[in-house]
Amino acid sequence: MHLKSDHRIAPSKNAWATPGLLVAAALFAGHVHATKLDYTANLDADAETLALRICGDAGARLDLRSASRFVVSVEPAADAQGAGRIRLTLPANRCAIITTDLRAAGNADRFRLGRERGVYYRLAADQWLWRPRQLDPMSSLRFALPAGWSASVPWRADAGGTHRLGNSPGSWPALTVFGRFAVERVVVPGGELRLAMLPLGDADARAAMRDWLIESSRRYFAAAGGLPVASPQIFVAPLPGVRSAVPWGEVQRGGAPGVLLYVGAEAGADAWRGDWTLAHELAHLQHPYLGEHGRWLAEGLGSYHQNVWRARAGHMTRDEAWQKLLSGFARGRAVGPGEALASIGRGWGTTMRVYWSGAAFWFESDLALRAAGSSLDQVLQRYRGAGMRFDRRVEPGDFIAALDSLEPRGGLQRRYDEYLMLASFPTLREARTLLKLAAPDRWPDTLPDHPILHAIFQSNEAKP
Ligand SMILES: [Zn+2]
């Protein structure tokens, strides 16, 4: 299944031991003391270990479950260890050093992309970055890496190379990759990408992949009003011998939003440009994390823009983009009626209805906004200009209310309320009325001659 997730965020685990009455009282008062810690991660390529030094003024309790099997040593000794769990109390004004076995952690990767000795290690942050339950956002992280190695991580660094861990929940996934590659700062409209590519396979294929990614990103963001996130992590794993263009892509939001792409090295530039994954994942940077109930909005925004952006970039014709939008609607419609969008759960049977109902919502919203003299691009741009929060979940209703208040003439709030109640695929009646078209299953398979549709799908190829 070729599905792109923006939703692989586990619900926060609530199973941490409560350290005493003081914290319990603070919890009751709605405030938990956050510990400021300073981390240094030292990678030893010969020993294949990552030694994490943790220091703090105030002391902390660290409790590690998921990755405790990769821990080779803890200094000072852990309070408790065993049964897949380690607990460590860090006294005030002291440091601890926790060493992780990168070989074991890398070998555990189910895609066999966890390590290559002397070349790279790719692992989730929670496999080595021990955190207390509440971490002060100013907590710092520095890396000490072998000569010629870099780190691709979601956290931005200051000029001195210190990362701030920020406010996003510790349970949100974050990918960390260390290896013999450079992190390249790629200028795109509105900002820069921190692009890292694993040094796998043929160097010519990697160069072509880099060209495709940079050229595409620049075109997409030029048409969408600029990069929505400051300096995001973009991680690319070229897959030698793989002919499928982009077998997997996703956005992870721990630390800061980052885009992860797994790209078939044998596919070639035409196939990469023909694939929707890059545009879809980059489009996810335009919205905050909207939770399970906002999944249809999030995936809808990606699914709508993956077609619009590629037409604008000249990677396919306007007619092709239109056909892909229509066939998406058809796949959504084919699912048939079920639960209302407001309450629909995660399930393979309903995925297409979730994605393409969302795409229909944004399509109808874009039409209405443009009929009123604005556009979805403009409203999203104003939303992020007002300070989009990437470090917390935003309720989907709050997201829509904010967009609606920026341009009430687009009718987003009213349309959202209607879509929430839909137990089957949207009728697209608004779009039909505005475009003077028949029922959507009889829409022409070339782009209808309407100035709003021309404007949406207009190529900006001349000015990348
Ligand atoms: Zn998605």
Side-chain angles (χ1 to χ4, degrees):
M1 198 73 194
H2 192 74
L3 279 176
K4 303 306 170 342
S5 73
D6 181 50
H7 50 247
R8 305 172 93 216
I9 292 167
S12 70
K13 297 182 183 73
N14 196 22
W16 299 85
T18 305
L21 280 175
L22 193 64
V23 170
L27 271 170
F28 188 72
H31 171 80
V32 176
H33 174 71
T35 312
K36 182 175 181 297
L37 295 174
D38 296 305
Y39 294 90
T40 308
N42 194 320
L43 193 148
D44 184 330
D46 294 326
E48 299 200 80
T49 57
L50 189 70
L52 183 68
R53 182 181 164 90
I54 312 172
C55 306
D57 297 340
R61 286 173 67 104
L62 302 160
D63 192 335
L64 189 80
R65 296 150 183 277
S66 62
S68 56
R69 62 198 167 113
F70 304 128
V71 171
V72 286
S73 68
V74 180
E75 308 165 27
D79 310 351
Q81 185 161 355
R85 171 180 183 149
I86 301 174
R87 185 180 298 155
L88 173 70
T89 303
L90 177 66
N93 300 309
R94 290 277 302 279
C95 298
I97 297 177
I98 297 160
T99 303
T100 298
D101 181 349
L102 291 177
R103 186 172 186 279
N107 286 346
D109 181 61
R110 63 191 173 118
F111 301 111
R112 297 183 178 276
L113 282 170
R115 74 181 260 276
E116 189 177 322
R117 186 181 167 87
V119 182
Y120 77 91
Y121 298 95
R122 174 187 152 278
L123 61 169
D126 69 0
Q127 288 183 296
W128 60 270
L129 183 64
W130 290 44
R131 300 168 55 120
R133 186 169 183 274
Q134 294 290 328
L135 186 64
D136 185 306
M138 289 307 287
S139 293
S140 67
L141 170 63
R142 297 181 61 83
F143 292 105
L145 302 172
W149 285 51
S150 297
S152 172
V153 297
W155 313 281
R156 277 190 291 162
D158 63 19
T162 300
H163 305 267
R164 298 289 166 191
L165 292 175
N167 255 328
S168 66
S171 60
W172 286 13
L175 186 73
T176 52
V177 190
F178 313 103
R180 291 187 182 277
F181 51 78
V183 178
E184 186 183 0
R185 290 175 181 277
V186 175
V187 175
V188 298
E192 61 168 26
L193 312 174
R194 286 180 291 134
L195 172 63
M197 195 174 281
L198 277 190
L200 297 180
D202 181 63
D204 289 343
R206 284 206 303 277
M209 207 177 280
R210 174 186 171 279
D211 290 346
W212 154 71
L213 197 135
I214 292 174
E215 184 244 33
S216 303
S217 306
R218 286 179 176 157
R219 289 180 190 274
Y220 298 159
F221 291 126
L227 181 68
V229 183
S231 199
Q233 172 194 24
I234 310 285
F235 169 75
V236 179
L239 306 173
V242 173
R243 291 184 174 278
S244 168
V246 190
W248 182 256
E250 65 179 296
V251 170
Q252 291 190 351
R253 295 178 182 270
V259 174
L260 319 175
L261 296 163
Y262 299 83
V263 182
E266 312 304 319
D270 287 344
W272 296 327
R273 275 195 290 270
D275 187 87
W276 51 272
T277 314
L278 175 62
H280 178 103
E281 302 307 337
L282 293 176
H284 275 311
L285 300 179
Q286 300 177 106
H287 64 81
Y289 177 53
L290 298 171
E292 277 298 293
H293 289 299
R295 188 165 157 253
W296 66 275
L297 285 174
E299 296 304 343
L301 195 67
S303 302
Y304 176 56
H305 278 138
Q306 76 195 29
N307 293 315
V308 168
W309 286 9
R310 285 187 299 152
R312 291 175 180 174
H315 292 164
M316 58 187 181
T317 67
R318 294 187 297 182
D319 287 343
E320 286 167 340
W322 173 250
Q323 285 156 17
K324 286 181 188 298
L325 193 61
L326 295 194
S327 61
F329 292 159
R331 288 199 296 280
R333 203 175 296 119
V335 171
E339 256 190 283
L341 270 181
S343 57
I344 199 164
R346 191 178 286 271
W348 290 109
T350 55
T351 301
M352 288 296 115
R353 201 182 119 217
V354 169
Y355 276 54
W356 293 100
S357 292
F361 172 82
W362 294 112
F363 175 55
E364 292 205 291
S365 296
D366 202 1
L367 293 175
L369 285 163
R370 285 172 187 269
S374 182
S375 70
L376 181 55
D377 296 318
Q378 277 183 29
V379 171
L380 291 171
Q381 198 178 357
R382 285 166 67 185
Y383 176 76
R384 56 189 181 255
M388 173 162 42
R389 294 299 298 258
F390 287 111
D391 55 2
R392 63 185 59 174
R393 180 167 61 106
V394 172
E395 291 302 326
D398 293 342
F399 178 55
I400 294 299
L403 297 182
D404 189 68
S405 70
L406 290 167
E407 183 43 271
R409 293 176 301 167
L412 269 79
Q413 185 68 60
R414 189 254 320 141
R415 190 173 305 104
Y416 174 71
D417 293 339
E418 289 173 12
Y419 267 67
L420 279 182
M421 308 311 291
L422 290 180
S424 55
F425 197 76
T427 62
L428 289 155
R429 186 184 302 125
E430 262 194 279
R432 281 189 277 146
T433 305
L434 197 141
L435 300 170
K436 299 187 171 58
L437 292 172
D441 55 351
R442 290 194 297 278
W443 283 1
D445 60 7
T446 55
L447 189 73
D449 187 16
H450 192 285
I452 291 181
L453 291 177
H454 291 309
I456 290 174
F457 290 92
Q458 179 140 27
S459 166
N460 66 336
E461 213 175 344
K463 36 174 179 147

